């Protein structure tokens, strides 16, 4: 079965993926941070039961993963595949994960909240992802009874999630805007509009791979539909700005050179560390959108960007690898993925 | 007709080319540095007549080029193709060049000596090149009467050429020995044996492209055959040392990586300056010898190394080019030569 990130998406030249995340808690049960291990296990069992043993259409779609039984490598690989948060992977006792077989839906149990329902889609797919999340929310609420207050909405451990409990995010590839130095200004403007944008890999002004996450900040006093609509409007403005910046860049032979070299190195290197890989693959992604590279698809790029991450590399190798061994395996993987 | 450098040669993995050069002067005529323009023109006319209007087999093989009528670009391109010396190209008045159609033989008229007969061959071909030079020498001596002293041998302007007037040279590609830091020691040892070795492109310890010229120094008291035999023995020792150093290098993934990246950049870059080009093409040449690259031949490399030089690029473009335009055209040339 194809993973969600192996399918092409709308506005895929710039919008890599869409994520909807709902924070939910069980009624009459303390938040996870207030639970002992037996309390956490009870929550875990209840959620697991609701998903896997419910008579709903979704029961057969999910696998359950006991986080406490995972190796560090397998846990970090889940982070690299954007299925769980780094915090969830680092402290695994009493936590569980329900994972849809195509990895498009994950339900973290006992993260900051009892449930974090997350739906991922390729490209711009806010409405589809929200519908899926809403559908799951409805099904699970019938069995689990979520904590809800008529005035505050869904109750969450952190007040910034109160209300809808929804965080909608888009992963954007913004190399041309980053290159133009516009990102700081853009981030400042977006925060006034109740949005945040930040680098996905690495903090600072030049995130690795020029990948940014744009998210809504406001969850209180605004419907899910309104939040999603705002996010989409702003994302499409950023997409237009990025496309305009790319049109200027593509005319420069220096850009064409940098993109060509990036592809050449990816195809022929025998050692690739992750930082360099992210920089090169970002250039190749840009090259595809500019029509400079025509035999590589966004799906291939998106897949590689996940498969080439350190823990996921080791997971596929079935053993721990030294940094140098990883660099070698990454180069081999990139070569084989881009040439077949 | 294929140029001499477009044909493969013996020991071509390390010995790029062979050159034999004979210095000859006309009897009863001052050396060129002592001649006025009319004197130079008389020498030029005499040599030209001897080659082109002689009833020998060679008459139809040569073209005559009046150096004084050349543009700077065309003159420098002759240097890049190793057909004339830089000094000969920079001060062109009263000088002429006889050039065999495959460019394997050039006769400079009024260089430091009245005639400099030069024969170039691909790979290790000292005997063949010397036979050709000797054959021309014999034919021309019949008509021109060269200055010869029974005790000193051929008379030349510079006493370092007295005797045979012969300089035999091999162009060697020595990236592994260069990389190992052995070149200074080797150069010191060779000078004790009456040989010199020096970088062809750029002075210093790291010549561009790891290309070295190995030549005999002694022209007096030693026959041509003995000088050639010594040079060949020493060259084959260097070849053996370089091959051994390559065998060590090829085991390192870092070497394989550097070679792969060099090929990748050469194939995909849109801008290549000459220094980088020389470094990359040297790595690719090394990669061919190591069996890491199998679809590119030494001939292609040797041809590119000449065709990608600045003046030769402009000559083929038919116009002057800015450095940036040259870098672009060089990248295009490399791409098309290495992919067809």
């Amino acid at each position: 079965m194809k993973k969600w990130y192996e399918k092409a998406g709308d506005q895929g030249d710039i919008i890599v993926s869409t994520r909807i995340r709902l924070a939910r808690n069980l009624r009459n049960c303390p938040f996870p941070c207030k639970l002992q291990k037996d309390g956490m296990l009870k929550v875990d069992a209840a959620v697991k039961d609701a998903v896997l043993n419910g008579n709903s259409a979704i029961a057969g779609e999910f696998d359950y993963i006991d986080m406490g039984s995972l190796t560090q490598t397998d846990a970090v690989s889940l982070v690299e595949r954007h299925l769980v948060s780094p915090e969830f992977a680092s402290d695994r006792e009493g936590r569980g994960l329900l994972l849809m077989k195509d990895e498009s839906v994950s339900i973290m149990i006992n993260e900051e909240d009892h449930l974090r329902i997350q739906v991922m889609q390729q490209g711009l797919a806010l409405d589809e992802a929200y519908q899926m999340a809403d559908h799951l929310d409805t099904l699970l609420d019938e069995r689990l009874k979520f904590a809800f207050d008529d005035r505050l909405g869904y109750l969450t451990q952190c007040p910034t999630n109160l209300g809808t409990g929804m965080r909608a995010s888009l992963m954007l590839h913004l190399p041309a805007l980053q290159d133009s130095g516009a990102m700081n200004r853009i981030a400042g403007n977006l925060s006034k509009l109740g949005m945040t944008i930040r680098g996905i890999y690495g903090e600072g002004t030049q995130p690795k791979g020029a990948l940014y996450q744009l998210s809504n900040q406001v969850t209180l006093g605004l419907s899910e539909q309104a939040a999603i609509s705002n996010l989409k409007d702003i994302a499409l403005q950023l997409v237009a700005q990025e496309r305009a910046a790319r049109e200027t860049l593509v005319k420069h032979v220096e850009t064409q050179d940098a993109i060509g070299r990036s592809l050449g190195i990816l195809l022929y290197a025998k050692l690739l560390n992750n930082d360099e890989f992210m920089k090169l693959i970002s250039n190749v992604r840009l090259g595809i959108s500019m029509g400079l590279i025509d035999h590589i698809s966004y799906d291939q790029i998106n897949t590689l960007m996940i498969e080439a991450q350190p823990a996921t590399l080791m997971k596929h190798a079935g053993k721990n690898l030294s940094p140098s061994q990883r660099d070698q395996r990454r180069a081999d993987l990139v070569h084989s993925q881009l040439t077949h």
Side-chain angles (χ1 to χ4, degrees), chain A:
Chain A
M1 174 184 284
K2 277 201 169 185
K3 304 282 196 265
W4 68 267
Y5 50 79
E6 294 170 334
K7 300 169 192 164
D10 187 30
Q11 316 283 334
D13 55 335
I14 293 170
I15 304 184
V16 178
S17 60
T18 295
R19 188 177 71 171
I20 295 284
R21 185 267 286 153
L22 302 177
R24 295 290 183 262
N25 288 281
L26 307 189
R27 217 175 285 173
N28 305 320
C29 176
F31 290 132
C33 63
K34 295 288 181 188
L35 289 175
Q36 302 299 316
K37 182 158 182 200
D38 63 332
M40 289 174 81
L41 291 177
K42 275 182 200 162
V43 172
D44 189 61
V47 177
K48 183 178 167 185
D49 180 65
V51 173
L52 298 184
N53 302 324
N55 52 7
S56 72
I58 60 166
E61 298 280 331
F62 281 88
D63 291 319
Y64 173 79
I65 295 166
D66 172 10
M67 291 299 290
S69 72
L70 290 188
T71 62
Q72 176 72 6
T73 296
D74 284 345
V76 176
S77 173
L78 290 172
V79 178
E80 290 172 352
R81 283 136 73 203
H82 309 296
L83 299 171
V84 305
S85 60
E87 299 72 27
F88 191 73
S90 65
D91 190 5
R92 304 191 281 280
E93 268 314 299
R95 288 175 161 175
L97 178 69
L98 287 155
L99 193 54
M100 202 177 251
K101 293 187 198 302
D102 72 352
E103 298 187 0
S104 69
V105 180
S106 59
I107 302 172
M108 285 178 270
I109 309 171
N110 292 319
E111 212 253 17
E112 188 178 280
D113 299 293
H114 293 138
L115 288 88
R116 287 280 176 101
I117 303 167
Q118 180 187 280
V119 179
M120 300 276 301
Q121 294 279 313
Q122 195 77 288
L124 176 65
L126 284 163
D127 297 324
E128 299 85 335
Y130 176 69
Q131 276 168 26
M132 181 64 178
D134 187 46
H135 173 62
L136 284 166
D137 183 34
T138 305
L139 287 174
L140 293 174
D141 193 25
E142 282 168 16
R143 295 178 53 106
L144 292 169
K145 308 298 176 196
F146 292 143
F148 184 84
D149 178 275
D150 283 341
R151 198 171 52 89
L152 293 172
Y154 290 100
L155 301 178
T156 56
Q157 193 216 299
C158 180
T160 59
N161 291 315
L162 271 179
T164 61
M166 184 191 79
R167 186 81 66 226
S169 310
L170 297 170
M171 193 195 295
L172 306 176
H173 185 227
L174 303 175
L177 287 175
Q178 177 175 291
D179 186 69
S180 76
M183 289 311 300
N184 276 348
R185 178 179 52 74
I186 288 170
N189 290 342
L190 288 177
S191 94
K192 291 175 202 153
L193 298 167
M195 302 280 161
T196 57
I197 191 161
R198 60 179 180 78
I200 286 177
Y201 298 100
E203 299 296 316
T205 50
Q206 298 283 81
K208 288 179 206 170
L211 289 173
Y212 292 83
Q213 182 167 280
L214 175 71
S215 310
N216 69 314
Q217 277 295 85
V218 180
T219 54
L220 205 55
L222 196 69
S223 72
E224 290 88 346
Q225 287 75 8
I228 283 173
S229 172
N230 286 350
L231 186 68
K232 191 196 283 187
D233 287 350
I234 285 169
L236 290 176
Q237 284 178 37
L238 280 176
V239 164
Q241 288 176 42
E242 170 69 19
R243 286 214 184 102
R246 290 183 185 186
E247 272 176 41
T248 307
L249 270 188
V250 71
K251 292 176 194 145
H252 300 151
V253 66
E254 290 79 8
T255 304
Q256 299 163 22
D257 182 55
I259 288 169
R261 283 166 183 258
S262 297
L263 177 59
I265 293 171
L266 284 176
L267 289 173
Y268 286 94
K270 302 291 178 199
L271 291 170
L272 280 173
N273 72 41
N274 202 40
D275 280 8
E276 185 187 21
F277 164 74
M278 291 297 284
K279 195 183 106 216
L280 299 175
I281 202 84
S282 169
N283 278 342
V284 168
R285 201 178 204 291
L286 181 63
I288 297 170
S289 81
M290 288 172 163
L292 300 174
I293 296 173
D294 58 9
H295 54 287
I296 298 175
S297 67
Y298 294 123
D299 318 14
Q300 282 176 286
I301 300 292
N302 297 347
T303 303
L304 258 183
M305 277 180 138
I306 286 174
E307 305 267 319
Q309 296 300 318
T312 304
L313 269 181
M314 293 199 283
K315 183 176 151 70
H316 287 309
K319 59 183 177 190
N320 279 323
L321 301 168
S322 68
S324 155
Q325 287 172 320
R326 284 203 296 269
D327 292 352
Q328 215 169 329
R329 194 170 274 261
R330 183 176 293 112
D332 290 347
L333 173 74
V334 169
H335 177 83
S336 76
Q337 291 283 324
L338 295 185
T339 53
H340 80 66

